[in-house]
Amino acid sequence: MGICSYLVISEPGAKESVRQRLAAMPECEVVPSTSHDLLVLVTETGSRTEERSLRERAESLAGVHSMVLTFAEVLSQ
Amino acid sequence: MSVADRREFMKQAAAGAAAAAAAALTPGVAFGQDLTRLIGGLGLEWKKTPCRFCGVGCGLLVGLEGGRAVAVRGDPASPVSRGLACVKGYHSVQALYGRDRLTRALVRQGDRLVQVPMERALDLVARTLRETVEAHGKDSVAMYGSGQWTIPAGYVATKLFKGALGTNNIDASARLYTASAMTGAISSFGLDQPMGCYEDLDHADVFVLWGANMAETYPVLFSRMLERRQRSPSVRIVDLATRSTRTSYASDRALLFAPQSDLAVANAICHEIVARGRVNRSFVDRHVAFRRGSTGIGYGLRDDALVSEDEAEASFDDYVRFLADYSPERVERLSGVQAADIRWLASLYADPSLRVVSLWSTGINQHTRGSWANNLIYNIHLLTGKIASPGNGPLSLTDQPSACGAVREVGALAHALPRGTVADPEDREFAAGIWGVPSSRIDSRPGHHALSMFRALERGDIRFLWVQATNPMVTLPDLSRYRAAARKEGRFLVVSDVYPTPTTEVADVVLPSALWIEEEGLFGNGERRTQHFQQMVDAPGEAMGDTWQMIEVARRLGHQELFPWPRESHVADIWAEYTRFHDGPSHRMALLSELESRPGVMWPYVDGRETRWRYNTAHDPAADAGRGDFHFYGNPDGRARIWLRPFEPAPEVPDTEFPFWLETGRVLEHWSSGVLTRRIPTLHRAMPGAYVEINDHDARELGVQDGDRVRLVSRRGSIQITARLDHRGQPPRGHLFVPFFDESLLINELTSDAHCPVSGQPDYKKCAVRVERVARMTGT
Ligand code: SF4
């Protein structure tokens, strides 16, 4: 199990469309900011490779300006 | 906790960390749910601690489960950070669990380091230390410690070397990060440590940042400033810097100055204040004395001894004549800051209706005139009387978690004692009385400061060097010179650390250390706040706290009576002894029992009251109210000093062969030499390697594109590194920036060991280099 969180910075005005696109990915849970072009993204994937590929997909979505990783699992299994 | 609970907990913690990071970077950000609160509860045991990284000293709560530290959240009770932390703080516990933690002692056999039991390694350290003293004298041994030490570790090191062994050869890496702040404060006020505190950030109307990229290096304090501006939109943040950074973009005005010209800009501000008749004469007449010192004092390139401050009296008229050289127009030519902007800055400082805080860190302190640069910022605040009161004051920020607590306050420096200096017979007598040693045991001559220590190692004057909690083979300037010194025949290097580093690579003995909450300890942050933390988890394998390592060695050397404390209570016993040095109204410290229960206490702490503004007679119990509103009691005449300090050029400036300035520094994700943060996967992935920021016009002229490999060459060395254009920071033309956290790209191979000859602090911000294109990354 791998759980990560990201701060996603959307292009101005694109927050809602980014939210919808991210929420459509089954590994993702999204909480948008109510005040800024920012979203909290929590991901759950099965491996590092999956996580990397998910990140790449998320980063390449239209409207995503950038993503900052803010958490990766701390509990080793 | 069940697997499902754990999974849910992890997700909530993950969301909380992202939300908290958002809050640290964008104060006032709101989410539909309060995500940061989600990570409370869930059956974990939470214990308080200061953050392990920078000297801001944010309060953290560490979540414990099954003997492991599994989560972190900001401590809402912390007056420093009020529940916030930066990305480093949030991920800090992961630094405990890197796969390559040192868990066994290592001893060199030929080219290899081999594991030995800790007891044997400690025997070897003690035996070699004793034999070195017998063969080469007491000054052939030295300790190089750190602002990452706990206060007990700094105190025990000082007592062991100065009180037991009788040598003053003890210094700390805090010398590299904060020494100019110390000597600057002492020369202006007679005492070290800031007069104000972080609460100033909640009151100021104007913030002037002198070369401090606070958005990346002190993000929690930066967000506190932004929060202040959000509450009061008239608040202004002015970024005075040598390159544009995230801090510049968030500021109201960003002014670029040419490297080294900060000295002239500060004098020009004072020139303008005087010329406009905006000096606070009643404050100056009552609380200030003018002084002039030596000039042309060199750059420490040949001489090891630090320059001692000689001071000659001067008058206000002398000062006015001195400032004549610093008209805004003249300084514009030198600094590149427009005269109108200098006048505007002066008007902010001088406006009696505005409260002004100046903030700085290594940009001012890592400077060949660092001590002077500190004096010059103090001058502005003294000239306007905007000092030592809520929202008014100069505040030097500190890089290391306990540079103030474990080094500057404890006296773990070549010239110092826990109270006063080794040169002062009364201070020696006082220390000897507490330590129970003859005062003749304490040498009156200062020992070697950091760079001088490694030069003495090179010459063979020092033969045994113990390095604790620091990584000089990444952080020393002119690195190849000092690495060669450490590798010389007949030198014995002991390194206590938590992970393998380039410094352990050259060691003869490596002692595995406990890290942070694996032992009980205390840190002292950059606002005179002492913070206690309990041992929360066990250290791995045979790893042992630095303090206890030194006590073990001291006992093997026959000094049991000086270090008699039982292991279970040694921190409390050391605290009780150490605080006897500060048992007066100007520095009294809290009892351990109070520190255990509170999120830190600021000294002087007298009759249950912390002192937020020293020298202010309404706040400071040591200040004499008979002197008016302020009493600068660190100086015998009760007055602070305005110094006549001229601009002097840097020792090495760009020329045709080496046409670029090179500046080094930190980035948000990594702390110091990266030993801990590079082992935190999240941070490592976010910032995996160092790079060089190049101005895009310069890059175009050089034929360099973003992502290309380039070679940087100075008179001392060269490295290959990836070029970044339009990255986080944008240097002006002729200027490069490289972060120093990456041990695989040792930028300090290129830097110069020129240093402030008063403080001994090297200048990592200015040396001359050239850029050579190496190859283009395909596909970029
Ligand atoms: S690194 Fe500094 S700013 Fe970040 S959490 Fe730790 S103490 Fe606070």
Side-chain angles (χ1 to χ4, degrees):
Chain A
M1 175 186 78
I3 287 174
C4 294
S5 71
Y6 299 87
L7 201 54
V8 181
I9 298 144
S10 65
E11 305 285 2
K15 187 172 60 186
E16 179 52 26
S17 62
V18 169
R19 187 194 69 74
Q20 286 175 13
R21 290 191 185 103
L22 288 172
M25 298 181 178
E27 308 92 333
C28 294
E29 286 175 36
V30 198
V31 184
S33 162
T34 50
S35 59
H36 289 73
D37 290 324
L38 288 172
L39 303 95
V40 163
L41 170 64
V42 179
T43 63
E44 184 178 355
T45 50
S47 68
R48 274 166 190 261
T49 325
E50 273 181 40
E51 181 61 37
R52 252 197 304 273
S53 121
L54 174 65
R55 180 181 179 154
E56 277 165 20
R57 273 186 289 139
E59 271 176 331
S60 62
L61 289 178
V64 171
H65 175 271
S66 54
M67 285 173 53
V68 185
L69 186 58
T70 51
F71 183 97
E73 59 184 293
V74 264
L75 288 166
S76 49
Q77 298 299 300
Chain B
M1 200 186 279
S2 71
V3 172
D5 279 351
R6 179 175 294 215
R7 195 163 142 257
E8 192 45 35
F9 162 74
M10 295 281 286
K11 285 189 158 186
Q12 292 180 350
L25 296 172
T26 317
V29 65
F31 290 90
Q33 318 160 33
D34 182 358
L35 295 172
T36 53
R37 281 179 46 208
L38 290 176
I39 64 170
L42 289 163
L44 296 184
E45 187 187 7
W46 295 91
K47 290 190 174 170
K48 75 168 177 77
T49 175
C51 172
R52 173 59 178 75
F53 296 119
C54 84
V56 171
C58 294
L60 305 180
L61 293 171
V62 172
L64 302 163
E65 191 198 39
R68 278 174 76 89
V70 296
V72 175
R73 60 182 164 131
D75 183 356
S78 164
V80 173
S81 46
R82 303 157 169 178
L84 277 184
C86 75
V87 285
K88 293 184 289 294
Y90 284 120
H91 294 90
S92 51
V93 296
Q94 295 181 47
L96 300 167
Y97 302 117
R99 289 208 182 92
D100 56 343
R101 262 305 285 272
L102 292 168
T103 57
R104 300 272 176 268
L106 304 168
V107 169
R108 181 159 301 282
Q109 281 184 3
D111 286 345
R112 289 186 320 128
L113 287 166
V114 296
Q115 285 190 2
V116 298
M118 189 70 171
E119 290 294 315
R120 249 174 67 197
L122 290 166
D123 289 345
L124 177 62
V125 171
R127 194 171 64 242
T128 311
L129 199 160
R130 181 189 292 117
E131 287 170 0
T132 309
V133 170
E134 284 166 5
H136 303 284
K138 66 185 175 60
D139 291 324
S140 63
V141 300
M143 166 63 80
Y144 184 58
S146 171
Q148 300 182 69
W149 263 338
T150 62
I151 294 174
Y155 180 73
V156 165
T158 305
K159 185 174 180 181
L160 172 59
F161 277 73
K162 299 190 176 190
L165 301 172
T167 176
N168 291 324
N169 284 340
I170 163 170
D171 215 62
S173 57
R175 179 76 68 180
L176 311 182
Y177 303 105
T178 184
S180 300
M182 174 181 70
T183 51
I186 291 172
S187 50
S188 288
F189 304 101
L191 288 173
D192 187 19
Q193 302 294 350
M195 66 222 50
C197 59
Y198 301 152
E199 197 182 318
D200 282 320
L201 305 185
D202 306 330
H203 301 289
D205 303 299
V206 177
F207 298 96
V208 183
L209 315 185
W210 289 80
N213 177 12
M214 287 181 67
E216 292 216 55
T217 53
Y218 301 100
V220 169
L221 291 184
F222 192 63
S223 92
R224 193 158 163 178
M225 258 164 46
L226 297 180
E227 198 184 315
R228 163 83 182 133
R229 187 177 61 181
Q230 203 164 43
R231 279 200 321 269
S232 307
S234 61
V235 165
R236 284 196 189 85
I237 300 171
V238 184
D239 180 47
L240 265 172
T242 51
R243 68 187 176 111
S244 304
T245 63
R246 287 179 171 182
T247 304
S248 322
Y249 307 136
S251 298
D252 299 283
R253 284 294 296 278
L255 303 173
L256 289 176
F257 62 88
Q260 193 84 356
S261 70
D262 39 11
L263 302 166
V265 172
N267 276 330
I269 290 170
C270 291
H271 177 285
E272 178 67 9
I273 290 169
V274 169
R276 302 268 161 191
R278 304 196 76 174
V279 174
N280 183 337
R281 282 312 295 244
S282 64
F283 180 91
V284 169
D285 290 348
R286 196 145 188 195
H287 300 300
V288 169
F290 293 85
R291 290 290 185 272
R292 163 195 318 276
S294 302
T295 55
I297 52 179
Y299 301 101
L301 287 164
R302 281 183 297 278
D303 306 318
D304 283 351
L306 297 178
V307 172
S308 52
E309 294 281 4
D310 58 337
E311 51 177 276
E313 286 189 16
S315 64
F316 180 72
D317 291 340
D318 293 331
Y319 183 55
V320 175
R321 277 191 291 279
F322 161 82
L323 290 176
D325 284 343
Y326 298 95
S327 70
E329 281 70 22
R330 207 159 161 189
V331 170
E332 174 179 329
R333 289 193 290 278
L334 185 73
S335 67
V337 182
Q338 291 192 358
D341 289 329
I342 293 172
R343 292 203 162 89
W344 174 71
L345 272 171
S347 72
L348 295 178
Y349 273 113
D351 184 338
S353 70
L354 296 177
R355 285 161 295 182
V356 185
V357 169
S358 300
L359 296 132
W360 68 96
S361 181
T362 49
I364 286 290
N365 295 334
Q366 291 178 337
H367 193 308
T368 50
R369 291 290 177 270
S371 193
W372 291 10
N374 276 260
N375 296 147
L376 291 173
I377 297 174
Y378 293 138
N379 284 358
I380 307 173
H381 285 271
L382 289 168
L383 209 54
T384 53
K386 292 190 180 183
I387 199 159
S389 53
N392 270 325
L395 186 58
S396 171
L397 304 167
T398 309
D399 265 28
Q400 296 178 302
S402 200
C404 292
V407 178
R408 286 161 63 178
E409 292 168 21
V410 155
L413 290 161
H415 68 286
L417 286 167
R419 193 187 81 177
T421 63
V422 296
D424 186 319
E426 276 182 31
D427 292 338
R428 291 201 302 276
E429 196 72 44
F430 185 77
I434 290 179
W435 288 343
V437 299
S439 61
S440 57
R441 173 90 58 86
I442 304 174
D443 201 322
S444 60
R445 298 162 305 154
H448 289 286
H449 63 89
L451 282 176
S452 162
M453 195 177 268
F454 283 87
R455 290 175 184 177
L457 192 70
E458 183 180 52
R459 290 192 301 272
D461 295 345
I462 287 176
R463 299 277 172 154
F464 173 104
L465 177 62
W466 191 348
V467 176
Q468 279 201 332
T470 189
N471 190 10
M473 294 302 127
V474 173
T475 54
L476 286 176
D478 197 359
L479 191 51
S480 48
R481 172 180 178 185
Y482 297 113
R483 191 188 309 109
R487 282 192 164 136
K488 274 192 162 178
E489 249 335 278
R491 315 297 190 269
F492 195 85
L493 189 67
V494 181
V495 178
S496 303
D497 213 327
V498 295
Y499 286 107
T501 67
T503 308
T504 63
E505 266 172 36
V506 297
D508 295 285
V509 175
V510 177
L511 300 175
S513 291
L515 174 60
W516 186 31
I517 52 173
E518 291 168 350
E519 59 172 339
E520 182 183 3
L522 298 114
F523 286 161
N525 81 349
E527 60 164 358
R528 295 175 280 109
R529 180 178 300 279
T530 313
Q531 302 189 75
H532 175 266
F533 50 97
Q534 296 175 24
Q535 182 184 351
M536 300 183 202
V537 293
D538 290 333
E542 288 199 280
M544 181 186 280
D546 292 333
T547 313
W548 199 254
Q549 289 176 16
M550 288 184 278
I551 292 172
E552 287 280 350
V553 168
R555 290 178 177 179
R556 282 164 167 79
L557 292 168
H559 295 297
Q560 165 78 32
E561 79 289 358
L562 298 184
F563 302 92
W565 313 297
R567 193 163 183 179
E568 329 56 83
S569 65
H570 71 285
V571 169
D573 296 335
I574 290 167
W575 184 252
E577 181 178 302
Y578 163 58
T579 48
R580 289 171 61 198
F581 279 92
H582 297 311
D583 192 21
S586 65
H587 199 142
R588 186 167 295 146
M589 305 182 91
L591 294 171
L592 196 70
S593 53
E594 288 177 272
L595 293 166
E596 281 167 348
S597 62
R598 294 175 55 172
V601 175
M602 274 190 282
W603 60 263
Y605 182 65
V606 178
D607 298 331
R609 278 185 58 197
E610 295 180 287
T611 302
R612 289 171 296 169
W613 291 281
R614 284 165 102 196
Y615 311 131
N616 182 321
T617 52
H619 293 270
D620 184 344
D624 174 4
R627 308 287 299 235
D629 293 342
F630 300 95
H631 176 207
F632 295 99
Y633 51 80
N635 287 321
D637 59 3
R639 289 167 176 266
R641 306 288 184 247
I642 283 184
W643 282 92
L644 285 58
R645 302 289 200 200
F647 165 82
E648 289 187 358
E652 183 175 280
V653 297
D655 55 20
T656 46
E657 197 184 350
F658 300 99
F660 286 90
W661 286 109
L662 170 68
E663 173 191 342
T664 71
R666 290 204 279 130
V667 290
L668 174 69
E669 295 83 354
H670 288 290
W671 185 75
S672 200
S673 70
V675 173
L676 301 178
T677 46
R678 288 177 71 246
R679 281 159 173 103
I680 296 175
T682 309
L683 300 179
H684 179 57
R685 265 177 272 155
M687 179 58 77
Y691 54 86
V692 56
E693 280 174 9
I694 305 183
N695 174 280
D696 47 4
H697 290 98
D698 288 333
R700 211 173 304 133
E701 280 179 13
L702 290 160
V704 169
Q705 292 182 6
D706 189 50
D708 281 356
R709 296 289 286 175
V710 293
R711 185 180 297 112
L712 304 184
V713 186
S714 80
R715 289 181 174 84
R716 292 155 292 278
S718 69
I719 56 166
Q720 279 194 34
I721 190 166
T722 302
R724 287 285 172 216
L725 278 58
D726 268 335
H727 201 49
R728 290 186 179 186
Q730 277 147 12
R733 295 204 69 167
H735 196 108
L736 308 170
F737 171 80
V738 178
F740 72 97
F741 69 84
D742 186 349
E743 68 180 43
S744 63
L745 284 167
L746 292 169
I747 191 59
N748 279 318
E749 303 275 5
L750 278 68
T751 52
S752 160
D753 63 353
H755 53 268
C756 171
V758 179
S759 69
Q761 183 163 0
D763 190 333
Y764 293 94
K765 306 295 183 187
K766 302 171 208 85
C767 72
V769 298
R770 69 168 174 266
V771 183
E772 297 170 357
R773 215 182 102 190
V774 177
R776 167 142 314 147
M777 299 293 287
T778 49
T780 56

